[in-house]
Amino acid sequence: MRSRDLAQIALFAAIMVVLGFFPLIQLPGAFAPFTSQTLGVILAGSILGAKRGALAIVLFDVLVFAGLPVLAGGRGGMGVIMGPTGGFVIAYPIGALVIGLLTERAWKHYNLPIALLINFLGGAIVLYAIGIPWMAAAAHISLGKAITTSVAFLPGDVVKTVIGSLAAVAVRRAYPMIPARA
C-alpha cells in the first residue's frame, strides 16, 4: 500500500469524524439517532473503492471502539457499541466494502442511476440488515418494532444516497481513484 493510499484512508476517516460534528437528530420513538455519518460510508466506498474505503471506515471504527468521541453527538466507546446503535457502527465498514466492490465492478459504466442503486444498497440496506437485528437484541424489543422504528430513517437515507452519488459521479469524472474490475 502506497503512502498516497494511507493518506486517502486517513482523510476519509477524518471526513467521518467531521460528519459527526453535525448535530444528531433523535426521532421520537426511535432507538437510534439520525446522523450524517452514513454519508461518509457512502463517500468512502464510492470514491476510494472497496479496500481503501473499508479500511478508512475500519480506522474510524477503531477510534469509536477506543472511546474517542467521534460519533455524532460526541459519543464513542464500548457503551455505544453494545447499545442499540452499535450494530450500525459495526456495519459501516461492511457497507463501504459492498459499495466499493460494486462500484469497482460497474466502473466502466458508472453513472448516476448506477451510483444511486449501489450506494443505497450499501449505505442503507446493508446497514439496516446488520443494525436493525442488533438494535432489537440490544434494546430488548421485537425485530418488527425495530424495523418499524427504522422506517422513519429512509427519507434521510435517500437524501444521503443522492448527495453521495452526485459526489461520487463528479469525482469519477474529475479525478477517478478507483481501478476498474472485470
Side-chain angles (χ1 to χ4, degrees):
M1 188 169 285
R2 300 172 301 164
S3 58
R4 185 169 134 188
D5 295 329
L6 295 174
Q8 291 171 344
I9 289 166
L11 174 65
F12 275 77
I15 289 171
M16 284 288 288
V17 172
V18 170
L19 287 170
F21 292 153
F22 289 93
L24 60 86
I25 300 168
Q26 188 67 49
L27 299 176
F31 292 91
F34 178 82
T35 74
S36 58
Q37 288 181 309
T38 51
L39 176 60
V41 173
I42 292 170
L43 293 173
S46 63
I47 293 176
L48 294 181
K51 184 178 176 183
R52 289 175 296 163
L55 286 174
I57 305 305
V58 165
L59 176 59
F60 173 78
D61 273 7
V62 167
L63 299 175
V64 173
F65 277 70
L68 296 178
V70 295
L71 287 170
R75 301 170 306 130
M78 291 306 293
V80 175
I81 297 302
M82 298 310 294
T85 60
F88 292 100
V89 176
I90 291 170
Y92 283 172
I94 299 166
L97 179 69
V98 168
I99 291 170
L101 287 172
L102 294 174
T103 299
E104 290 170 4
R105 290 271 179 205
W107 191 246
K108 289 181 182 173
H109 308 288
Y110 195 72
N111 57 29
L112 186 57
I114 292 172
L116 289 168
L117 182 65
I118 290 172
N119 292 337
F120 188 75
L121 177 66
I125 302 299
V126 168
L127 300 186
Y128 286 163
I130 297 168
I132 290 175
W134 185 287
M135 177 193 307
H140 306 290
I141 59 174
S142 70
L143 185 59
K145 183 171 183 176
I147 292 171
T148 302
T149 60
S150 297
V151 169
F153 295 98
L154 278 174
D157 288 333
V158 168
V159 170
K160 288 182 275 187
T161 297
V162 170
I163 293 169
S165 298
L166 289 169
V169 169
V171 170
R172 180 186 183 270
R173 286 185 188 138
Y175 188 73
M177 293 191 269
I178 297 177
R181 284 184 173 224

